[in-house]
Amino acid sequence: MGLHLYGLDAADWTSADEGGWRAVASGVNGALARAGLPPYGPGDGPGWAFEEKLGRPMAGFTALCEAHLPAAEQAALGGWTVMVPVPPAGEVRLPFATAYDDTAEVVAAARVLAAAERLAAVLELPAELPDPHGPLVLTCWFLDGGAQRLAARSTAPWSTDLDAAFHVALYLRAAQYALRHGRPVAYC
């Protein structure tokens, strides 16, 4: 179990059943309409399912964010429930109960990507960082030794705190997935 980030497909996004996100989808489309933008719906085209587990300590990541990002970027990077590949007019706060809170915070994937890219540059994340094409690819790379073996040969800042590097890589790849595939990503 534990907390995961999942890419949502059109069926998840429009479902009113338990585990569905219809109320959030409606709120996002309301915010887009108020901004004069067209409604959003994820495509069901080809793509892989994004899924990663957030099972690593966050103290180093939090310190990294505080040292290198202004408060607004820190909130955009880690203070959301749902990330969408469209620009909501500011962050959208919706009264939608989740397993972890009674509201859903919606953020644009482009904002998450910008903050994650800044941190990735600070850490000098390696070119060998996996670009997941299936579930738990990053989680396993950091957990099963790939990251440790590469870090042992590296002098880049990422290699000194693999927990912080994992979280930066996680948000970087989640935002890239959302934008590339046109799908929202949510904590579940």
Side-chain angles (χ1 to χ4, degrees), residues 70-112:
E73 286 187 40
Q74 290 177 47
L77 184 61
W80 50 271
T81 310
V82 181
M83 175 175 44
V84 293
V86 293
E91 297 338 312
V92 179
R93 186 177 178 99
L94 302 169
F96 176 79
T98 68
Y100 308 100
D101 203 349
D102 59 355
T103 60
E105 301 283 339
V106 180
V107 68
R111 290 198 62 206
V112 174

Side-chain angles (χ1 to χ4, degrees), residues 150-171:
L150 188 58
R153 300 186 315 266
S154 177
T155 59
W158 77 274
S159 66
T160 63
D161 187 344
L162 294 182
D163 293 333
F166 168 77
H167 288 286
V168 172
L170 174 73
Y171 290 117

Side-chain angles (χ1 to χ4, degrees), residues 8 10 35 40-41 46-47 57 72 76 79 88-89 95 100 109 120 136 138 145 151-152 158-159 174 179 186:
L8 305 175
Y40 163 72
Y100 308 100
L136 304 174
L138 280 174
W158 77 274
S159 66
L179 291 166

Side-chain angles (χ1 to χ4, degrees), residues 22-161:
R22 180 183 285 172
V24 173
S26 177
V28 167
N29 284 334
L32 291 170
R34 288 187 294 280
L37 297 169
Y40 163 72
D44 265 339
W48 47 273
F50 184 90
E51 176 191 353
E52 295 292 343
K53 184 174 182 175
L54 283 80
R56 299 185 72 101
M58 294 197 60
F61 174 70
T62 300
L64 181 70
C65 290
E66 290 170 353
H68 296 282
L69 297 176
E73 286 187 40
Q74 290 177 47
L77 184 61
W80 50 271
T81 310
V82 181
M83 175 175 44
V84 293
V86 293
E91 297 338 312
V92 179
R93 186 177 178 99
L94 302 169
F96 176 79
T98 68
Y100 308 100
D101 203 349
D102 59 355
T103 60
E105 301 283 339
V106 180
V107 68
R111 290 198 62 206
V112 174
L113 181 61
E117 285 176 337
R118 279 183 68 184
L119 294 179
V122 168
L123 291 181
E124 300 173 27
L125 285 182
E128 295 87 350
L129 180 72
D131 191 358
H133 289 86
L136 304 174
V137 171
L138 280 174
T139 302
C140 290
W141 189 71
F142 276 92
L143 186 64
D144 293 341
Q148 290 88 346
R149 287 188 295 279
L150 188 58
R153 300 186 315 266
S154 177
T155 59
W158 77 274
S159 66
T160 63
D161 187 344

